[in-house]
Amino acid sequence: DSGVTQTPKHLITATGQRVTLRCSPRSGDLSVYWYQQSLDQGLQFLIQYYNGEERAKGNILERFSAQQFPDLHSELNLSSLELGDSALYFCASSSPSVTGELFFGEGSRLTVL
Amino acid sequence: AQTVTQSQPEMSVQEAETVTLSCTYDTSENNYYLFWYKQPPSRQMILVIRQEAYKQQNATENRFSVNFQKAAKSFSLKISDSQLGDTAMYFCAFMKRQTGANNLFFGTGTRLTVIP
Protein backbone atom coordinates (compact mmCIF):
# COMPACT_ATOMS: atom_id res chain seq x y z
CA ASP A 1 0.00 0.00 0.00
CA SER A 2 1.60 3.23 -1.22
CA GLY A 3 -0.61 5.45 0.93
CA VAL A 4 -2.03 7.22 -2.13
CA THR A 5 -5.77 6.72 -2.57
CA GLN A 6 -7.61 7.09 -5.84
CA THR A 7 -11.34 6.92 -6.46
CA PRO A 8 -13.16 5.56 -8.29
CA LYS A 9 -11.18 2.47 -9.29
CA HIS A 10 -13.34 1.89 -12.34
CA LEU A 11 -15.61 4.21 -14.28
CA ILE A 12 -17.63 3.62 -17.42
CA THR A 13 -19.26 6.53 -19.19
CA ALA A 14 -20.38 7.71 -22.60
CA THR A 15 -18.82 10.06 -25.11
CA GLY A 16 -19.50 13.70 -24.42
CA GLN A 17 -19.83 13.21 -20.69
CA ARG A 18 -17.77 14.67 -17.86
CA VAL A 19 -16.10 12.78 -15.02
CA THR A 20 -14.05 13.65 -11.96
CA LEU A 21 -11.24 11.52 -10.60
CA ARG A 22 -10.11 12.02 -7.05
CA CYS A 23 -6.75 11.53 -5.38
CA SER A 24 -5.66 11.71 -1.76
CA PRO A 25 -1.87 11.90 -1.39
CA ARG A 26 0.23 10.30 1.31
CA SER A 27 0.15 12.05 4.63
CA GLY A 28 2.64 14.92 4.55
CA ASP A 29 3.17 14.93 0.80
CA LEU A 30 2.59 18.32 -0.79
CA SER A 31 2.92 17.38 -4.44
CA VAL A 32 0.35 15.55 -6.52
CA TYR A 33 0.98 14.34 -10.07
CA TRP A 34 -1.46 13.02 -12.66
CA TYR A 35 -0.47 10.56 -15.36
CA GLN A 36 -2.40 8.95 -18.18
CA GLN A 37 -1.66 5.43 -19.40
CA SER A 38 -3.44 4.37 -22.55
CA LEU A 39 -3.62 0.67 -23.42
CA ASP A 40 -0.16 -0.92 -23.47
CA GLN A 41 1.52 2.46 -23.48
CA GLY A 42 3.87 4.23 -21.12
CA LEU A 43 2.71 6.79 -18.62
CA GLN A 44 2.23 10.30 -19.93
CA PHE A 45 2.63 13.15 -17.48
CA LEU A 46 -0.40 15.41 -17.37
CA ILE A 47 0.02 17.93 -14.58
CA GLN A 48 1.53 18.53 -11.16
CA TYR A 49 0.33 20.54 -8.19
CA TYR A 50 2.46 21.59 -5.25
CA ASN A 51 0.72 22.79 -2.11
CA GLY A 52 -2.31 23.97 -4.02
CA GLU A 53 -0.56 25.61 -6.94
CA GLU A 54 0.07 24.30 -10.42
CA ARG A 55 3.78 23.54 -10.69
CA ALA A 56 4.27 21.76 -14.00
CA LYS A 57 2.13 20.91 -16.98
CA GLY A 58 2.64 18.15 -19.48
CA ASN A 59 0.52 16.84 -22.32
CA ILE A 60 -2.82 17.73 -20.81
CA LEU A 61 -5.70 18.44 -23.16
CA GLU A 62 -7.72 21.63 -22.82
CA ARG A 63 -10.77 19.45 -22.08
CA PHE A 64 -8.98 18.27 -18.94
CA SER A 65 -8.41 20.30 -15.84
CA ALA A 66 -7.18 19.65 -12.34
CA GLN A 67 -6.93 21.33 -8.99
CA GLN A 68 -5.50 20.71 -5.55
CA PHE A 69 -7.54 21.68 -2.55
CA PRO A 70 -6.40 23.12 0.81
CA ASP A 71 -6.49 19.64 2.36
CA LEU A 72 -4.08 18.62 -0.46
CA HIS A 73 -6.37 16.17 -2.17
CA SER A 74 -6.61 16.64 -5.92
CA GLU A 75 -9.24 16.19 -8.57
CA LEU A 76 -8.80 15.62 -12.29
CA ASN A 77 -11.77 16.71 -14.37
CA LEU A 78 -12.23 15.23 -17.81
CA SER A 79 -14.94 16.76 -20.01
CA SER A 80 -16.41 16.23 -23.48
CA LEU A 81 -15.07 12.72 -23.28
CA GLU A 82 -13.97 10.91 -26.40
CA LEU A 83 -13.30 7.23 -27.02
CA GLY A 84 -9.58 7.94 -27.02
CA ASP A 85 -9.74 9.17 -23.44
CA SER A 86 -10.23 5.60 -22.27
CA ALA A 87 -7.17 4.93 -20.16
CA LEU A 88 -5.77 4.28 -16.73
CA TYR A 89 -5.25 7.52 -14.84
CA PHE A 90 -2.65 7.44 -12.10
CA CYS A 91 -2.13 9.85 -9.30
CA ALA A 92 1.18 10.02 -7.48
CA SER A 93 2.51 12.08 -4.61
CA SER A 94 5.90 13.05 -3.28
CA SER A 95 7.33 14.65 -0.19
CA PRO A 96 8.61 18.25 0.00
CA SER A 97 12.23 17.17 0.15
CA VAL A 98 14.21 16.16 -2.88
CA THR A 99 14.08 12.42 -2.35
CA GLY A 100 13.42 11.50 -5.94
CA GLU A 101 10.58 9.12 -5.34
CA LEU A 102 6.95 9.23 -6.39
CA PHE A 103 4.35 7.07 -4.72
CA PHE A 104 1.61 5.89 -7.03
CA GLY A 105 -2.00 5.13 -6.36
CA GLU A 106 -3.67 2.09 -7.88
CA GLY A 107 -5.14 4.11 -10.70
CA SER A 108 -8.62 4.89 -11.98
CA ARG A 109 -9.62 2.98 -15.08
CA LEU A 110 -11.84 5.07 -17.32
CA THR A 111 -13.78 3.47 -20.14
CA VAL A 112 -15.58 5.73 -22.59
CA LEU A 113 -18.21 3.98 -24.71
CA ALA B 1 13.35 18.13 -22.98
CA GLN B 2 14.03 14.72 -21.57
CA THR B 3 13.40 11.53 -23.54
CA VAL B 4 13.61 7.95 -22.39
CA THR B 5 13.95 5.10 -24.86
CA GLN B 6 13.35 1.43 -24.26
CA SER B 7 14.15 -0.42 -27.45
CA GLN B 8 12.94 -3.86 -26.37
CA PRO B 9 9.12 -4.03 -26.47
CA GLU B 10 9.09 -7.65 -25.28
CA MET B 11 11.52 -10.06 -23.70
CA SER B 12 11.35 -13.49 -22.17
CA VAL B 13 13.59 -15.41 -19.80
CA GLN B 14 13.62 -18.86 -18.32
CA GLU B 15 12.92 -19.11 -14.63
CA ALA B 16 16.13 -18.84 -12.55
CA GLU B 17 18.04 -17.29 -15.44
CA THR B 18 19.33 -13.71 -15.75
CA VAL B 19 17.91 -11.06 -18.06
CA THR B 20 18.93 -7.49 -18.85
CA LEU B 21 16.52 -4.78 -19.92
CA SER B 22 17.90 -1.78 -21.79
CA CYS B 23 17.19 1.91 -21.39
CA THR B 24 18.76 5.01 -22.84
CA TYR B 25 17.89 8.59 -22.12
CA ASP B 26 18.66 12.03 -23.39
CA THR B 27 19.07 15.06 -21.19
CA SER B 28 21.17 18.16 -20.78
CA GLU B 29 20.79 18.01 -17.01
CA ASN B 30 23.62 16.95 -14.74
CA ASN B 31 21.65 16.22 -11.58
CA TYR B 32 18.89 13.70 -11.95
CA TYR B 33 17.46 10.37 -10.87
CA LEU B 34 16.80 7.27 -12.90
CA PHE B 35 14.26 4.63 -11.99
CA TRP B 36 12.94 1.26 -12.98
CA TYR B 37 9.28 0.66 -12.23
CA LYS B 38 7.48 -2.64 -12.48
CA GLN B 39 3.84 -2.87 -13.51
CA PRO B 40 2.38 -6.35 -12.99
CA PRO B 41 -1.03 -7.36 -14.37
CA SER B 42 -2.62 -5.65 -11.37
CA ARG B 43 -1.46 -2.37 -13.00
CA GLN B 44 0.07 -1.10 -9.76
CA MET B 45 3.27 0.90 -10.33
CA ILE B 46 5.98 -0.56 -8.12
CA LEU B 47 9.39 1.03 -7.70
CA VAL B 48 12.09 -1.55 -8.38
CA ILE B 49 15.29 0.45 -8.10
CA ARG B 50 16.56 4.02 -8.11
CA GLN B 51 19.88 5.52 -9.18
CA GLU B 52 21.13 9.00 -8.38
CA ALA B 53 23.17 10.39 -11.24
CA TYR B 54 25.92 11.83 -9.03
CA LYS B 55 26.63 8.39 -7.57
CA GLN B 56 29.08 6.33 -9.57
CA GLN B 57 28.24 3.11 -7.78
CA ASN B 58 25.51 1.09 -9.44
CA ALA B 59 22.39 0.59 -7.34
CA THR B 60 21.43 -2.89 -6.19
CA GLU B 61 18.25 -4.21 -4.60
CA ASN B 62 18.38 -7.93 -3.91
CA ARG B 63 18.08 -9.68 -7.30
CA PHE B 64 17.85 -6.37 -9.17
CA SER B 65 20.85 -4.31 -10.19
CA VAL B 66 21.57 -1.59 -12.69
CA ASN B 67 24.41 -0.76 -15.03
CA PHE B 68 24.51 3.03 -15.08
CA GLN B 69 26.73 4.55 -17.75
CA LYS B 70 26.35 8.31 -17.37
CA ALA B 71 28.50 9.33 -20.31
CA ALA B 72 26.65 6.96 -22.60
CA LYS B 73 23.29 7.90 -21.02
CA SER B 74 22.49 4.26 -20.54
CA PHE B 75 20.66 2.66 -17.63
CA SER B 76 20.04 -1.07 -17.93
CA LEU B 77 18.31 -3.32 -15.41
CA LYS B 78 19.59 -6.79 -14.64
CA ILE B 79 17.29 -9.30 -13.00
CA SER B 80 19.08 -12.31 -11.57
CA ASP B 81 17.48 -15.64 -10.66
CA SER B 82 14.27 -14.65 -12.46
CA GLN B 83 11.05 -15.67 -10.77
CA LEU B 84 7.56 -16.12 -12.14
CA GLY B 85 6.47 -13.09 -10.13
CA ASP B 86 8.85 -10.94 -12.15
CA THR B 87 6.52 -11.22 -15.13
CA ALA B 88 5.40 -7.64 -15.74
CA MET B 89 5.88 -4.49 -17.75
CA TYR B 90 9.05 -2.67 -16.80
CA PHE B 91 9.35 1.07 -17.28
CA CYS B 92 12.51 3.11 -17.19
CA ALA B 93 12.00 6.67 -15.97
CA PHE B 94 13.94 9.92 -15.61
CA MET B 95 13.49 12.67 -13.05
CA LYS B 96 15.29 15.99 -12.93
CA ARG B 97 16.64 16.58 -9.44
CA GLN B 98 14.97 19.69 -8.12
CA THR B 99 12.82 20.70 -5.20
CA GLY B 100 9.08 20.66 -5.69
CA ALA B 101 8.80 19.46 -9.28
CA ASN B 102 9.62 15.79 -9.43
CA ASN B 103 7.65 14.70 -12.46
CA LEU B 104 8.81 11.51 -14.11
CA PHE B 105 9.41 10.95 -17.79
CA PHE B 106 8.75 7.35 -18.73
CA GLY B 107 9.89 5.11 -21.53
CA THR B 108 7.41 3.01 -23.46
CA GLY B 109 8.14 -0.10 -21.44
CA THR B 110 9.41 -3.64 -21.89
CA ARG B 111 7.05 -6.54 -21.36
CA LEU B 112 8.97 -9.30 -19.57
CA THR B 113 7.69 -12.85 -19.42
CA VAL B 114 9.33 -15.39 -17.14
CA ILE B 115 8.89 -18.89 -18.51
CA PRO B 116 8.59 -21.79 -16.06
Side-chain angles (χ1 to χ4, degrees), chain A residues 10 27 50 55 89:
Chain A
H10 301 277
S27 176
Y50 179 82
R55 178 60 65 96
Y89 291 84

Side-chain angles (χ1 to χ4, degrees), chain A residues 6-113:
Chain A
Q6 289 188 247
T7 57
K9 286 186 167 44
H10 301 277
L11 188 57
I12 301 174
T13 189
T15 55
Q17 296 298 304
R18 171 189 171 95
V19 299
T20 297
L21 309 180
R22 180 188 171 99
C23 170
S24 295
R26 293 188 323 153
S27 176
D29 286 357
L30 300 182
S31 281
V32 170
Y33 309 77
W34 288 97
Y35 290 85
Q36 179 193 54
Q37 185 181 30
S38 300
L39 186 63
D40 291 333
Q41 299 293 315
L43 279 72
Q44 296 294 321
F45 170 67
L46 295 179
I47 197 164
Q48 180 211 353
Y49 280 82
Y50 179 82
N51 202 22
E53 295 185 0
E54 182 182 306
R55 178 60 65 96
K57 183 177 284 190
N59 300 322
I60 187 167
L61 300 173
E62 287 190 6
R63 300 183 286 108
F64 296 180
S65 65
Q67 55 183 328
Q68 185 179 28
F69 295 86
D71 66 353
L72 300 178
H73 91 271
S74 177
E75 293 181 357
L76 178 66
N77 300 297
L78 314 175
S79 62
S80 302
L81 285 168
E82 302 175 359
L83 296 178
D85 297 328
S86 295
L88 191 57
Y89 291 84
F90 282 103
C91 170
S93 72
S94 68
S95 71
S97 63
V98 183
T99 61
E101 184 169 356
L102 266 60
F103 298 88
F104 284 84
E106 295 183 350
S108 293
R109 179 170 294 284
L110 172 65
T111 302
V112 182
L113 300 177

Side-chain angles (χ1 to χ4, degrees), chain B residues 4 7 9 14 24-25 31 35 56 62-63 66 70 76 80 83 85 93 95-96 98 109-110 116:
Chain B
V4 179
S7 59
Q14 291 286 338
T24 59
Y25 59 96
N31 293 319
F35 304 83
Q56 293 185 343
N62 300 315
R63 298 182 295 107
V66 298
K70 189 173 183 179
S76 61
S80 304
Q83 302 176 358
M95 176 191 290
K96 179 180 175 182
Q98 60 183 355
T110 296

